[in-house]
Amino acid sequence: MALRSAQGDGHTSSRWDGGAGKTDFDAKRKKKVAEIHQALNSDPTDVAALRRLAISEGGLLTDEIRRKVWPKLLNVNSSEPPPVPGMPEEQREGLQEELIDIILLVLERNPQLHYYQGYHDIVVTFLLVVGKRLATSLVEKLSTHHVRDFMDPTMDNTKHILNYLMPIIDQVNPELHDFMQSAEVGTIFALSWLITWFGHVLSDFRHVVRLYDFFLACHPLMPIYFAAVIVLYREQEVLDCDCDMASVHHLLSQIPQDLPYETLISRAGDLFVQFPPSELARKAAAHQQAEKTAASTFKDFELVSAQQRPDMVLRQRFRGLLRPEDRTKDVLTKPRTNRFVKLAVMGLTVALGAAALAVVKSALEWAPKFQLQLFP
């Protein structure tokens, strides 16, 4: 399968590609671009405004803007790299080399991190949008904060984060929750969604980068809230299934490609405010374990000020939607930067991820013979 072009400036969310009419669309787009540049040019940079704009409809609109804003959302200081070139077929091998270099460099600098199956789907998204130099810095910050729990030597914290899924569903739709419990479907169907930020399961790269805008502007547990709203959106399909593990798992593991992303993003943000992680942890009787996850310490993530906290941005947005009367109520443990390790990782990344590059016909084809223990 041929690689699609990675010219970033065309990566816009679907609802901003159509909608009410060209005049209205252009006016909304120009207004948002102006607001983004105003926030970027403020002294200091208005990170709170950038978070709000990344979350709101359409996200950050283009990859040119993402190259400027994503570093601000991750509090990474870096000069702007050159634009990302296109990717004809002959450049695929070079892209693989760059992907491998980024992964190995991050792991070498942070020996406490462990490679996991799906990590490259996240890395390649940053590589395609911002280029190798800036991607390395952004991925390193992301790996030590948002996705830190996935990079432990065991999957204990990853499994714990997945355990938030059913309590969210139970809060919104007890009938659906009980049906899934009766089917004993568990949460493994959402594993690849969570650990790749949906980069492995969405075929349209515009949707992937739109979700990255959202997740980068939010708490690191937001992907599990987004997973929950996908399941809730598919309520009738699930309830129409036979109530057994095989049927429900098969349905949910096949994620639709025509989801109403903007609606689901808005809903996920609202649910995060209504049912914050601390409340869900108590309801799941998992508070003690939650204290051990890196996500539980997100309040310590380096942000410019308390007002720029992503949960604060979401909470303010949510309150603005309420009526006044309602407001009161072994993995690469020590990576070896030799050619063998590079070939080993390349063996694992021949596909480079279904969503990011659309190179392969199916899911990743892993190569266990390369002495990489992907799931301890």
PDB file of all heavy atoms in Angstrom, residues 133-150:
ATOM      1  N   ARG A 133      13.550  16.667  14.722  1.00  0.00           N
ATOM      2  CA  ARG A 133      14.232  17.405  15.795  1.00  0.00           C
ATOM      3  C   ARG A 133      13.277  17.779  16.922  1.00  0.00           C
ATOM      4  O   ARG A 133      13.531  17.506  18.094  1.00  0.00           O
ATOM      5  CB  ARG A 133      14.903  18.656  15.216  1.00  0.00           C
ATOM      6  CG  ARG A 133      15.677  19.472  16.255  1.00  0.00           C
ATOM      7  CD  ARG A 133      16.711  20.343  15.566  1.00  0.00           C
ATOM      8  NE  ARG A 133      16.106  21.241  14.606  1.00  0.00           N
ATOM      9  CZ  ARG A 133      15.666  22.460  14.898  1.00  0.00           C
ATOM     10  NH1 ARG A 133      15.748  22.902  16.146  1.00  0.00           N
ATOM     11  NH2 ARG A 133      15.151  23.247  13.975  1.00  0.00           N
ATOM     12  N   LEU A 134      12.152  18.393  16.565  1.00  0.00           N
ATOM     13  CA  LEU A 134      11.206  18.792  17.593  1.00  0.00           C
ATOM     14  C   LEU A 134      10.443  17.590  18.136  1.00  0.00           C
ATOM     15  O   LEU A 134      10.102  17.552  19.326  1.00  0.00           O
ATOM     16  CB  LEU A 134      10.231  19.823  17.027  1.00  0.00           C
ATOM     17  CG  LEU A 134       9.225  20.445  18.004  1.00  0.00           C
ATOM     18  CD1 LEU A 134       9.928  20.968  19.251  1.00  0.00           C
ATOM     19  CD2 LEU A 134       8.435  21.551  17.316  1.00  0.00           C
ATOM     20  N   ALA A 135      10.188  16.604  17.298  1.00  0.00           N
ATOM     21  CA  ALA A 135       9.487  15.401  17.763  1.00  0.00           C
ATOM     22  C   ALA A 135      10.237  14.733  18.899  1.00  0.00           C
ATOM     23  O   ALA A 135       9.633  14.237  19.852  1.00  0.00           O
ATOM     24  CB  ALA A 135       9.289  14.421  16.611  1.00  0.00           C
ATOM     25  N   THR A 136      11.561  14.719  18.822  1.00  0.00           N
ATOM     26  CA  THR A 136      12.348  14.084  19.877  1.00  0.00           C
ATOM     27  C   THR A 136      12.087  14.750  21.224  1.00  0.00           C
ATOM     28  O   THR A 136      11.870  14.079  22.237  1.00  0.00           O
ATOM     29  CB  THR A 136      13.846  14.149  19.537  1.00  0.00           C
ATOM     30  OG1 THR A 136      14.072  13.505  18.270  1.00  0.00           O
ATOM     31  CG2 THR A 136      14.670  13.456  20.607  1.00  0.00           C
ATOM     32  N   SER A 137      12.072  16.068  21.254  1.00  0.00           N
ATOM     33  CA  SER A 137      11.834  16.786  22.506  1.00  0.00           C
ATOM     34  C   SER A 137      10.412  16.577  23.013  1.00  0.00           C
ATOM     35  O   SER A 137      10.188  16.370  24.211  1.00  0.00           O
ATOM     36  CB  SER A 137      12.099  18.282  22.315  1.00  0.00           C
ATOM     37  OG  SER A 137      13.441  18.524  21.955  1.00  0.00           O
ATOM     38  N   LEU A 138       9.447  16.641  22.099  1.00  0.00           N
ATOM     39  CA  LEU A 138       8.060  16.485  22.514  1.00  0.00           C
ATOM     40  C   LEU A 138       7.775  15.071  22.998  1.00  0.00           C
ATOM     41  O   LEU A 138       7.080  14.873  24.003  1.00  0.00           O
ATOM     42  CB  LEU A 138       7.121  16.847  21.355  1.00  0.00           C
ATOM     43  CG  LEU A 138       7.198  18.279  20.830  1.00  0.00           C
ATOM     44  CD1 LEU A 138       6.151  18.498  19.742  1.00  0.00           C
ATOM     45  CD2 LEU A 138       7.005  19.292  21.954  1.00  0.00           C
ATOM     46  N   VAL A 139       8.294  14.091  22.292  1.00  0.00           N
ATOM     47  CA  VAL A 139       8.073  12.702  22.677  1.00  0.00           C
ATOM     48  C   VAL A 139       8.725  12.410  24.024  1.00  0.00           C
ATOM     49  O   VAL A 139       8.162  11.685  24.859  1.00  0.00           O
ATOM     50  CB  VAL A 139       8.597  11.743  21.588  1.00  0.00           C
ATOM     51  CG1 VAL A 139       8.660  10.310  22.106  1.00  0.00           C
ATOM     52  CG2 VAL A 139       7.715  11.815  20.348  1.00  0.00           C
ATOM     53  N   GLU A 140       9.899  12.978  24.261  1.00  0.00           N
ATOM     54  CA  GLU A 140      10.553  12.747  25.546  1.00  0.00           C
ATOM     55  C   GLU A 140       9.720  13.318  26.686  1.00  0.00           C
ATOM     56  O   GLU A 140       9.540  12.668  27.722  1.00  0.00           O
ATOM     57  CB  GLU A 140      11.950  13.359  25.553  1.00  0.00           C
ATOM     58  CG  GLU A 140      12.707  13.082  26.849  1.00  0.00           C
ATOM     59  CD  GLU A 140      14.169  13.472  26.758  1.00  0.00           C
ATOM     60  OE1 GLU A 140      14.539  14.243  25.848  1.00  0.00           O
ATOM     61  OE2 GLU A 140      14.949  12.989  27.599  1.00  0.00           O
ATOM     62  N   LYS A 141       9.181  14.523  26.513  1.00  0.00           N
ATOM     63  CA  LYS A 141       8.342  15.104  27.561  1.00  0.00           C
ATOM     64  C   LYS A 141       7.065  14.282  27.740  1.00  0.00           C
ATOM     65  O   LYS A 141       6.636  14.003  28.865  1.00  0.00           O
ATOM     66  CB  LYS A 141       8.019  16.562  27.227  1.00  0.00           C
ATOM     67  CG  LYS A 141       7.096  17.246  28.226  1.00  0.00           C
ATOM     68  CD  LYS A 141       7.647  17.239  29.637  1.00  0.00           C
ATOM     69  CE  LYS A 141       8.591  18.349  29.958  1.00  0.00           C
ATOM     70  NZ  LYS A 141       8.139  19.700  29.898  1.00  0.00           N
ATOM     71  N   LEU A 142       6.457  13.889  26.641  1.00  0.00           N
ATOM     72  CA  LEU A 142       5.236  13.090  26.713  1.00  0.00           C
ATOM     73  C   LEU A 142       5.494  11.756  27.415  1.00  0.00           C
ATOM     74  O   LEU A 142       4.684  11.290  28.212  1.00  0.00           O
ATOM     75  CB  LEU A 142       4.700  12.837  25.304  1.00  0.00           C
ATOM     76  CG  LEU A 142       3.276  12.298  25.211  1.00  0.00           C
ATOM     77  CD1 LEU A 142       2.275  13.418  25.397  1.00  0.00           C
ATOM     78  CD2 LEU A 142       3.051  11.614  23.859  1.00  0.00           C
ATOM     79  N   SER A 143       6.646  11.165  27.125  1.00  0.00           N
ATOM     80  CA  SER A 143       6.969   9.850  27.677  1.00  0.00           C
ATOM     81  C   SER A 143       7.209   9.895  29.178  1.00  0.00           C
ATOM     82  O   SER A 143       7.051   8.884  29.863  1.00  0.00           O
ATOM     83  CB  SER A 143       8.207   9.276  26.980  1.00  0.00           C
ATOM     84  OG  SER A 143       7.989   9.135  25.587  1.00  0.00           O
ATOM     85  N   THR A 144       7.596  11.040  29.685  1.00  0.00           N
ATOM     86  CA  THR A 144       7.840  11.161  31.121  1.00  0.00           C
ATOM     87  C   THR A 144       6.650  11.776  31.847  1.00  0.00           C
ATOM     88  O   THR A 144       6.719  11.987  33.062  1.00  0.00           O
ATOM     89  CB  THR A 144       9.097  12.018  31.388  1.00  0.00           C
ATOM     90  OG1 THR A 144       8.965  13.293  30.740  1.00  0.00           O
ATOM     91  CG2 THR A 144      10.342  11.310  30.866  1.00  0.00           C
ATOM     92  N   HIS A 145       5.566  12.043  31.116  1.00  0.00           N
ATOM     93  CA  HIS A 145       4.376  12.618  31.733  1.00  0.00           C
ATOM     94  C   HIS A 145       3.113  11.888  31.273  1.00  0.00           C
ATOM     95  O   HIS A 145       2.676  10.962  31.940  1.00  0.00           O
ATOM     96  CB  HIS A 145       4.289  14.121  31.437  1.00  0.00           C
ATOM     97  CG  HIS A 145       5.340  14.920  32.121  1.00  0.00           C
ATOM     98  ND1 HIS A 145       6.597  15.111  31.587  1.00  0.00           N
ATOM     99  CD2 HIS A 145       5.343  15.561  33.315  1.00  0.00           C
ATOM    100  CE1 HIS A 145       7.327  15.832  32.430  1.00  0.00           C
ATOM    101  NE2 HIS A 145       6.586  16.126  33.474  1.00  0.00           N
ATOM    102  N   HIS A 146       2.530  12.271  30.167  1.00  0.00           N
ATOM    103  CA  HIS A 146       1.230  11.743  29.769  1.00  0.00           C
ATOM    104  C   HIS A 146       1.202  10.224  29.621  1.00  0.00           C
ATOM    105  O   HIS A 146       0.238   9.580  30.052  1.00  0.00           O
ATOM    106  CB  HIS A 146       0.790  12.376  28.443  1.00  0.00           C
ATOM    107  CG  HIS A 146       0.408  13.808  28.540  1.00  0.00           C
ATOM    108  ND1 HIS A 146       1.323  14.804  28.824  1.00  0.00           N
ATOM    109  CD2 HIS A 146      -0.794  14.438  28.386  1.00  0.00           C
ATOM    110  CE1 HIS A 146       0.703  15.975  28.840  1.00  0.00           C
ATOM    111  NE2 HIS A 146      -0.577  15.781  28.572  1.00  0.00           N
ATOM    112  N   VAL A 147       2.187   9.635  28.973  1.00  0.00           N
ATOM    113  CA  VAL A 147       2.158   8.184  28.731  1.00  0.00           C
ATOM    114  C   VAL A 147       3.152   7.434  29.615  1.00  0.00           C
ATOM    115  O   VAL A 147       3.495   6.291  29.343  1.00  0.00           O
ATOM    116  CB  VAL A 147       2.415   7.864  27.237  1.00  0.00           C
ATOM    117  CG1 VAL A 147       1.376   8.536  26.362  1.00  0.00           C
ATOM    118  CG2 VAL A 147       3.819   8.256  26.804  1.00  0.00           C
ATOM    119  N   ARG A 148       3.592   8.087  30.682  1.00  0.00           N
ATOM    120  CA  ARG A 148       4.592   7.476  31.562  1.00  0.00           C
ATOM    121  C   ARG A 148       4.138   6.131  32.109  1.00  0.00           C
ATOM    122  O   ARG A 148       4.945   5.185  32.211  1.00  0.00           O
ATOM    123  CB  ARG A 148       4.915   8.430  32.727  1.00  0.00           C
ATOM    124  CG  ARG A 148       5.846   7.847  33.785  1.00  0.00           C
ATOM    125  CD  ARG A 148       7.225   7.555  33.217  1.00  0.00           C
ATOM    126  NE  ARG A 148       8.094   6.942  34.190  1.00  0.00           N
ATOM    127  CZ  ARG A 148       8.139   5.637  34.462  1.00  0.00           C
ATOM    128  NH1 ARG A 148       7.311   4.805  33.802  1.00  0.00           N
ATOM    129  NH2 ARG A 148       8.979   5.157  35.343  1.00  0.00           N
ATOM    130  N   ASP A 149       2.865   6.006  32.467  1.00  0.00           N
ATOM    131  CA  ASP A 149       2.378   4.768  33.070  1.00  0.00           C
ATOM    132  C   ASP A 149       2.439   3.581  32.114  1.00  0.00           C
ATOM    133  O   ASP A 149       2.510   2.433  32.557  1.00  0.00           O
ATOM    134  CB  ASP A 149       0.946   4.949  33.567  1.00  0.00           C
ATOM    135  CG  ASP A 149       0.878   5.875  34.773  1.00  0.00           C
ATOM    136  OD1 ASP A 149       1.686   5.699  35.697  1.00  0.00           O
ATOM    137  OD2 ASP A 149       0.032   6.783  34.781  1.00  0.00           O
ATOM    138  N   PHE A 150       2.408   3.838  30.812  1.00  0.00           N
ATOM    139  CA  PHE A 150       2.485   2.751  29.842  1.00  0.00           C
ATOM    140  C   PHE A 150       3.916   2.242  29.687  1.00  0.00           C
ATOM    141  O   PHE A 150       4.136   1.193  29.073  1.00  0.00           O
ATOM    142  CB  PHE A 150       1.977   3.207  28.472  1.00  0.00           C
ATOM    143  CG  PHE A 150       0.626   3.861  28.504  1.00  0.00           C
ATOM    144  CD1 PHE A 150       0.327   4.875  27.610  1.00  0.00           C
ATOM    145  CD2 PHE A 150      -0.333   3.486  29.433  1.00  0.00           C
ATOM    146  CE1 PHE A 150      -0.923   5.495  27.630  1.00  0.00           C
ATOM    147  CE2 PHE A 150      -1.577   4.097  29.470  1.00  0.00           C
ATOM    148  CZ  PHE A 150      -1.873   5.106  28.562  1.00  0.00           C
TER     149      PHE A 150
END
